[in-house]
Amino acid sequence: MKTYIQSEYHYEYTECDSSGTRWRVAVPHTPGLCTGLPDPIKGTECSFSCNAGQFLDMKEQTCKLCGEGTYSLGTGVLFDEWEELPHGFSTISNSQFTEDYGASGNCNMSTWEPHGDYVASNTDECSATLMYSINLKQEGIVSFDYLYPDNNIGFEFFVQNDQCQPREEESRWMKTTQKGWNHHQVTLTKGNNVLYWKTTAFYLGGDVPKPVLVKKIHVTGVAYTSECFPCKPGTFTSTSGTSTCQLCPKNTFSTRGATSCTPCEQDKYAEPGSSSCTPRPPCTEKDYFYTHTPCDTNGETQMMYKWIEPKICSESVKDSVSLPASGVKKKCPPCNPGFYQTNSSSCEPCPINSYSNGTTCNKCPAGTEAVLGFEYKWWNLLPSNMRTSVMSGMNFDYQGRSGWEVAGDYIYTSAGSSDNDYVVLYLNIPYFSPPHTVAEDGENNVVSRITFVFDMTCSVNCQLFFMVAENSEMSSVIKSWMGTQEKQSYTYQINRNANTTFTWAFQRTKLKEMGRKYTLDMAKIYSINITNAKDGVASWCQPCALGTDSLCVSCPTGNYIDKMTSSCIPCPPNTFLRTYQPYAVEACVPCGPGTHSNDMRTACFSDCLVSVPSGKGQLQYDLSSLPNMTTFVGPPGFTSKGMKYYHQFSISLCGNQGKKLASCVENITGVRGSEDDSWRSVSSYICQSVILPSDATGHKIFLSSQPVSIADRLLGVTTETKFANISSPEDLFPGENAAIKDIVFYFRSNEVTDSCRSGRSTAVRLRCKPLKPGLGLLSPPSSCPEGTCDGCMFHFLWETQVACPLCSEQDYRIITSACQHGVQRTTPMWREPRMCVGGVDLPQPTATICKTTDFWLKVGVSSGVCTALLLTFLTVYFWRKNRSLEYKYSRLMMNAPSKEGELPAADSCAIMEGEDAEDDLIFNNHRSLLRKFMTFSGKRSSDGFDSVPLKSSAGTDMDM
């Protein structure tokens, strides 16, 4: 039987049994050979382990020290070389958006990739996971360094056991990094542990987000290590029993397992931690920079030149250049405004309540106060509240050297180790302190403004970023410029009184190449002016309101300062105060149509009661039943990989004294309901965010990203289609009622962008829809489903019953019924179609007693019969009367004298009593109605005789 030598096999331990014991067995290097090997022997206890710097000698089963040039972590393993994925690591990718959400893109190429010293995540909207599984014999830890600079990527780290059950962690979402690499550590339990690093990008167009980087993954808790690991190239250890290796200093190098570093030759150089040396190139004008020396005791300065560190060029090589000679000394410029020059030629801040133009300090006159801030326009020395650094664009380490240099009239970007480096300038303001003339107003007040003047010279795609961070939170990119830029100014307003850091970062190129080709590409900042800085200095004093002790006092909110009396005067009704110019009544700005000033006179708002002209009258609206804040989601959009997203809008239209109740948040690094207080939120009248449906956490959730305000000020409420240079065309939302015009709310935002020089604007149309009660329907234009066609002007239509005018007497009519059964009814009814709500109520129906047609017909017939009878009797009477008169007249004519002029005899010229007996028999049966008519119709004399006219022969009439 063949006996194997030790080089042909190695020792391993069996799995621990239930009693906690195990056996050491020999395993041949050639599979299938099982004879001639050493017999198994009982091994050490399962929890046995060696200390850091030691390894377990399996032959003797004792711990021994690691030799020089090697190291050991004891019970741990370290992964710090990422030329390829180490053994045991794997990376998978998939779409984080399920088929329910419409994802259809290919994510096979979206994986974590090794890059030498670190492993980098994907940067697209696919979900990529880096996994590592390890079995721990005792409780341990996992720690790693990570760089997470862009919150457009969601980054989470979590641990699962062998049953795929996640560990209970306070938060699996990682915090973004601000100042280089962060360190993270998590406790691991005994047994199997599966480690997950998972990323998913969330962005729509624009720049591709920066990847997440991970390095130095260290896991402890393994039972033992049977060997020591050689130091990787660029590191060394000269002692035995060590747990780490040291970096080689600059201009030295080492190979794997080195016990010391080898110096480079004179004509070569090496960065710290290098595995080889690189020939030094000849020095050129790109290898030095210029700066101005601080003022000396004589008040003089000079320009001088310095080599860019680390110096990698050689002055002894052919065609190399030397440093230019320093410039001649010249008088120092004055100090910056608010400072004065001391006897030692240094600049010191002026005392409280004084000001300066940079030479001497002057006390503020009576009735004025110092306007505090910082105005930097002379650059002989970097101000104390500013600092600079350089961050490598290759491994994102901060290099601990100056990135911006002072040059008298400006400050400019110097060169880094490569053109890919970020040259960073910081300005920190711990707190803001508005002057007395500025009243505190949490809703609308601008706390401060920062203005800087700059230019850029670029031969390639250099870029300048301006960022702001509050209370050490993640910096947000406010503005970026690419390529050559002419001298210009930029202003940003601060709305929150917090510890604020302003950052300028300049990168010459995104290409990851070593060396300096574009050092002449640079950014220059000529001046930086920031207002209302606490512990700032003053360059001027402004009038203030005076108290009884003749000292400056704060005016109440909404009060302006009268120039004549220096007293506080409230702004007139329906005006608001222009905070930064609170002098004279002209500082009170009138509110737009349909708006009123709030109680504090700091903003104009709609109280939800709107009145618009209509014909010769007014239409009244009551919008108070609309919700204080509501949200709606537009139609879906899709990226190139099939990611579905939505634009969500939050709207607060009227009421609430003008408070901005609409809110949009950034919760990419957490799910709603967590205790993550680092979410970035935006509050305004109308805001927009991007909603992303995801199952990245194992269950369906909706993530919110990129919140932005699109309505910070209400300008007016009217039915006009154009107001304050904002248009709301009718053809965007066809179907407007000609009689009842849409009500349009016009808003404007404060944020100014390259494409939106006047800020974003929003017009919300309210349309009367009686059949849509309650909230109704909110929608964007069909031609611009994202709410905007140009990114600057947003349009929305709100169709609801609430948008109908209040009802009035002109909106209903009274219907009167026919008289039935002696009753007549009136019924009020709304005019159709009804286009009003609320307002006046319909009157109650009425019922009145009335006479029917039959009754009046009977009355008419009866009256006709009576009239006919009366006429018949009157006809008979007058006929009989006429006959009697004819008879009497004929008798009289018979008895007349034959001669003219003679009077008749006395007995023949009168009707004697009794001659009418016959007539009396006919008409005098009783005192009838006819008799009464006869009595009144006959004209008698006082003696009872009728008077009858006679005609004489002479032709004269005589009464007898």
Side-chain angles (χ1 to χ4, degrees):
M1 183 176 64
K2 178 183 177 181
T3 302
Y4 290 89
I5 61 175
Q6 189 169 351
S7 60
E8 295 178 317
Y9 64 89
H10 64 276
Y11 291 108
E12 290 184 5
Y13 281 125
T14 63
E15 293 291 332
C16 292
D17 57 24
S18 58
S19 61
T21 60
R22 57 186 175 180
W23 293 81
R24 190 201 71 177
V25 296
V27 180
H29 294 162
T30 303
L33 301 178
C34 299
T35 59
L37 297 173
D39 293 331
I41 63 174
K42 191 173 182 179
T44 59
E45 61 181 6
C46 291
S47 61
F48 177 82
S49 63
C50 296
N51 295 325
Q54 298 178 338
F55 72 100
L56 180 63
D57 186 335
M58 293 293 291
K59 182 178 181 180
E60 300 179 6
Q61 297 195 73
T62 58
C63 294
K64 294 185 178 180
L65 295 177
C66 291
E68 297 178 358
T70 63
Y71 72 97
S72 163
L73 299 174
T75 63
V77 290
L78 175 66
F79 304 97
D80 60 351
E81 293 185 65
W82 296 91
E83 299 298 335
E84 60 182 5
L85 284 181
H87 178 71
F89 279 86
S90 62
T91 176
I92 60 173
S93 62
N94 63 285
S95 174
Q96 59 136 347
F97 307 99
T98 64
E99 294 181 359
D100 295 341
Y101 295 140
S104 59
N106 186 355
C107 294
N108 293 334
M109 303 302 294
S110 301
T111 59
W112 288 74
E113 297 180 355
H115 288 274
D117 292 332
Y118 57 83
V119 59
S121 74
N122 66 318
T123 56
D124 56 18
E125 59 265 30
C126 295
S127 179
T129 305
L130 178 68
M131 298 186 300
Y132 179 68
S133 177
I134 190 170
N135 186 285
L136 300 186
K137 303 304 180 183
Q138 59 189 16
E139 186 177 276
I141 62 169
V142 57
S143 63
F144 57 90
D145 294 339
Y146 72 96
L147 188 73
Y148 179 20
D150 198 329
N151 61 0
N152 284 320
I153 290 183
F155 177 37
E156 55 181 331
F157 171 75
F158 56 96
V159 181
Q160 290 183 346
N161 59 22
D162 50 4
Q163 277 79 40
C164 296
Q165 295 176 343
R167 286 275 310 278
E168 292 295 333
E169 302 291 344
E170 292 183 1
S171 176
R172 58 197 283 168
W173 296 93
M174 306 300 292
K175 300 286 187 180
T176 52
T177 55
Q178 286 295 300
K179 301 176 181 178
W181 294 79
N182 277 9
H183 185 75
H184 186 67
Q185 179 174 303
V186 173
T187 301
L188 302 178
T189 59
K190 181 180 177 180
N192 286 328
N193 291 266
V194 184
L195 315 180
Y196 294 88
W197 293 264
K198 190 173 184 179
T199 57
T200 305
F202 302 89
Y203 72 99
L204 303 174
D207 294 335
V208 175
K210 299 178 178 62
V212 175
L213 309 183
V214 175
K215 67 178 182 179
K216 294 182 180 178
I217 300 177
H218 181 200
V219 182
T220 65
V222 295
Y224 65 92
T225 178
S226 60
E227 61 180 338
C228 295
F229 300 99
C231 293
K232 70 176 184 178
T235 65
F236 75 101
T237 176
S238 59
T239 60
S240 60
T242 183
S243 61
T244 59
C245 297
Q246 302 176 21
L247 283 178
C248 289
K250 68 177 182 179
N251 295 327
T252 64
F253 73 99
S254 72
T255 58
R256 183 177 300 276
T259 59
S260 63
C261 296
T262 305
C264 294
E265 299 176 5
Q266 189 67 28
D267 60 344
K268 294 183 179 180
Y269 75 97
E271 297 283 350
S274 296
S275 59
S276 62
C277 295
T278 305
R280 292 180 181 272
C283 291
T284 67
E285 66 279 357
K286 297 179 180 179
D287 293 306
Y288 61 81
F289 65 94
Y290 62 91
T291 186
H292 279 245
T293 61
C295 291
D296 57 21
T297 55
N298 297 323
E300 294 180 332
T301 183
Q302 68 179 146
M303 180 184 290
M304 65 180 302
Y305 297 87
K306 295 181 179 180
W307 293 112
I308 297 172
E309 293 295 337
K311 182 184 177 184
I312 62 174
C313 66
S314 174
E315 299 178 65
S316 60
V317 180
K318 183 181 178 180
D319 297 329
S320 64
V321 300
S322 301
L323 279 180
S326 298
V328 297
K329 288 192 174 185
K330 59 181 180 179
K331 187 178 180 181
C332 288
C335 297
N336 282 308
F339 293 83
Y340 71 97
Q341 201 167 55
T342 64
N343 293 333
S344 61
S345 299
S346 63
C347 294
E348 296 292 335
C350 288
I352 296 175
N353 205 32
S354 61
Y355 69 99
S356 83
N357 59 0
T359 54
T360 59
C361 298
N362 301 286
K363 202 167 180 58
C364 287
T368 64
E369 63 176 339
V371 181
L372 300 180
F374 290 106
E375 183 181 358
Y376 300 122
K377 61 180 182 180
W378 301 110
W379 303 95
N380 248 14
L381 193 66
L382 194 67
S384 59
N385 59 352
M386 300 180 72
R387 61 184 179 88
T388 74
S389 65
V390 177
M391 185 179 74
S392 170
M394 305 297 290
N395 58 20
F396 300 96
D397 283 325
Y398 282 89
Q399 300 174 1
R401 64 174 184 268
S402 176
W404 292 67
E405 294 293 335
V406 295
D409 295 335
Y410 55 85
I411 183 172
Y412 75 101
T413 54
S414 63
S417 297
S418 70
D419 293 332
N420 185 246
D421 292 346
Y422 291 90
V423 186
V424 187
L425 175 67
Y426 303 95
L427 167 62
N428 178 254
I429 303 296
Y431 194 70
F432 296 96
S433 178
H436 287 99
T437 54
V438 179
E440 290 289 342
D441 175 17
E443 287 294 328
N444 301 287
N445 192 37
V446 177
V447 174
S448 176
R449 286 183 172 88
I450 182 171
T451 301
F452 57 92
V453 179
F454 73 101
D455 65 18
M456 294 169 59
T457 302
C458 300
S459 59
V460 287
N461 57 340
C462 67
Q463 195 166 7
L464 176 66
F465 300 89
F466 173 62
M467 299 174 285
V468 176
E470 295 177 349
N471 294 331
S472 300
E473 295 176 357
M474 175 69 184
S475 289
S476 298
V477 177
I478 303 301
K479 179 74 174 173
S480 64
W481 298 266
M482 181 175 289
T484 299
Q485 300 287 327
E486 296 182 353
K487 192 174 183 180
Q488 59 187 277
S489 67
Y490 178 78
T491 299
Y492 174 75
Q493 67 181 26
I494 300 97
N495 298 315
R496 183 182 176 191
N497 200 342
N499 187 331
T500 305
T501 299
F502 305 96
T503 304
W504 294 263
F506 180 76
Q507 186 183 37
R508 289 177 169 84
T509 178
K510 295 181 179 180
L511 299 177
K512 293 186 177 182
E513 297 178 355
M514 295 300 296
R516 307 183 186 111
K517 297 180 182 179
Y518 311 110
T519 55
L520 296 181
D521 292 4
M522 66 180 66
K524 297 179 181 178
I525 295 180
Y526 296 89
S527 65
I528 300 176
N529 186 5
I530 185 164
T531 63
N532 300 337
K534 183 177 176 59
D535 300 328
V537 294
S539 60
W540 60 293
C541 301
Q542 67 180 6
C544 64
L546 300 179
T548 55
D549 52 1
S550 297
L551 297 178
C552 289
V553 297
S554 297
C555 282
T557 304
N559 282 243
Y560 66 90
I561 300 174
D562 185 80
K563 290 183 177 180
M564 300 296 295
T565 63
S566 295
S567 59
C568 300
I569 307 295
C571 276
N574 294 329
T575 64
F576 70 96
L577 183 66
R578 186 186 293 113
T579 311
Y580 276 82
Q581 297 176 348
Y583 307 107
V585 70
E586 290 76 17
C588 301
V589 182
C591 292
T595 65
H596 312 275
S597 59
N598 59 8
D599 294 340
M600 295 186 296
R601 301 289 197 274
T602 56
C604 295
F605 76 104
S606 169
D607 59 2
C608 298
L609 302 178
V610 181
S611 177
V612 298
S614 176
K616 296 182 180 180
Q618 296 278 331
L619 291 179
Q620 307 295 329
Y621 296 82
D622 184 358
L623 309 177
S624 57
S625 59
L626 292 176
N628 289 333
M629 190 275 292
T630 186
T631 60
F632 77 98
V633 178
F638 296 88
T639 66
S640 59
K641 287 187 178 293
M643 179 182 75
K644 180 184 287 188
Y645 66 90
Y646 302 86
H647 282 105
Q648 177 176 280
F649 300 93
S650 180
I651 295 182
S652 173
L653 206 59
C654 63
N656 305 298
Q657 283 290 304
K659 292 183 178 180
K660 301 172 182 176
L661 300 183
S663 178
C664 299
V665 299
E666 168 84 75
N667 69 348
I668 288 297
T669 56
V671 294
R672 189 172 297 277
S674 70
E675 296 180 358
D676 187 351
D677 58 358
S678 64
W679 291 1
R680 185 170 67 92
S681 64
V682 172
S683 296
S684 63
Y685 294 117
I686 306 175
C687 60
Q688 176 198 45
S689 59
V690 178
I691 301 298
L692 303 153
S694 169
D695 61 357
T697 58
H699 57 278
K700 295 180 182 179
I701 60 172
F702 290 88
L703 302 180
S704 176
S705 174
Q706 303 176 12
V708 62
S709 170
I710 59 175
D712 294 311
R713 290 174 288 132
L714 176 60
L715 304 180
V717 182
T718 178
T719 56
E720 300 297 326
T721 58
K722 187 173 183 180
F723 179 75
N725 296 323
I726 304 175
S727 296
S728 178
E730 297 177 357
D731 55 3
L732 285 178
F733 301 103
E736 181 181 18
N737 191 299
I740 301 178
K741 295 286 187 180
D742 294 343
I743 301 175
V744 188
F745 282 69
Y746 289 96
F747 297 90
R748 195 182 296 280
S749 71
N750 296 326
E751 185 178 359
V752 177
T753 64
D754 285 340
S755 56
C756 308
R757 296 290 184 179
S758 300
R760 297 182 178 91
S761 304
T762 303
V764 181
R765 280 181 168 264
L766 270 72
R767 179 168 294 174
C768 174
K769 287 292 182 180
L771 300 181
K772 293 184 178 180
L775 178 61
L777 177 64
L778 272 159
S779 60
S782 58
S783 57
C784 307
E786 294 185 352
T788 177
C789 299
D790 58 4
C792 298
M793 182 67 214
F794 290 79
H795 303 272
F796 304 103
L797 176 65
W798 196 338
E799 298 174 292
T800 173
Q801 185 185 78
V802 182
C804 296
L806 297 178
C807 295
S808 64
E809 288 79 1
Q810 286 73 35
D811 293 306
Y812 65 83
R813 55 194 178 95
I814 305 295
I815 298 177
T816 304
S817 66
C819 186
Q820 295 180 347
H821 307 294
V823 178
Q824 187 175 50
R825 303 180 184 277
T826 61
T827 305
M829 294 187 66
W830 296 111
R831 299 184 186 276
E832 294 297 337
R834 182 184 175 185
M835 301 295 290
C836 66
V837 294
V840 300
D841 296 326
L842 278 177
Q844 294 295 323
T846 61
T848 57
I849 299 175
C850 62
K851 304 298 183 181
T852 63
T853 303
D854 294 342
F855 172 80
W856 290 111
L857 181 60
K858 293 177 181 178
V859 171
V861 171
S862 302
S863 299
V865 171
C866 294
T867 302
L869 293 175
L870 179 60
L871 290 176
T872 302
F873 281 108
L874 288 176
T875 301
V876 172
Y877 166 73
F878 284 110
W879 177 74
R880 295 292 295 172
K881 183 68 174 178
N882 186 54
R883 287 190 59 193
S884 175
L885 289 177
E886 288 179 354
Y887 169 75
K888 293 175 181 179
Y889 182 74
S890 62
R891 288 278 304 269
L892 183 60
M893 292 302 295
M894 291 175 58
N895 296 327
S898 58
K899 294 182 179 181
E900 295 185 9
E902 289 186 6
L903 293 172
D907 58 351
S908 61
C909 60
I911 299 175
M912 298 304 293
E913 187 175 354
E915 282 187 303
D916 288 336
E918 185 178 351
D919 297 335
D920 290 340
L921 289 175
I922 298 173
F923 299 105
N924 198 25
N925 294 327
H926 55 81
R927 296 289 294 181
S928 64
L929 180 62
L930 181 60
R931 187 65 180 176
K932 293 178 181 179
F933 276 105
M934 292 172 60
T935 304
F936 286 105
S937 61
K939 185 178 180 183
R940 293 180 178 272
S941 62
S942 59
D943 55 1
F945 293 95
D946 293 331
S947 178
V948 180
L950 297 177
K951 185 176 181 181
S952 67
S953 59
T956 60
D957 293 333
M958 300 177 62
D959 288 335
M960 297 297 295

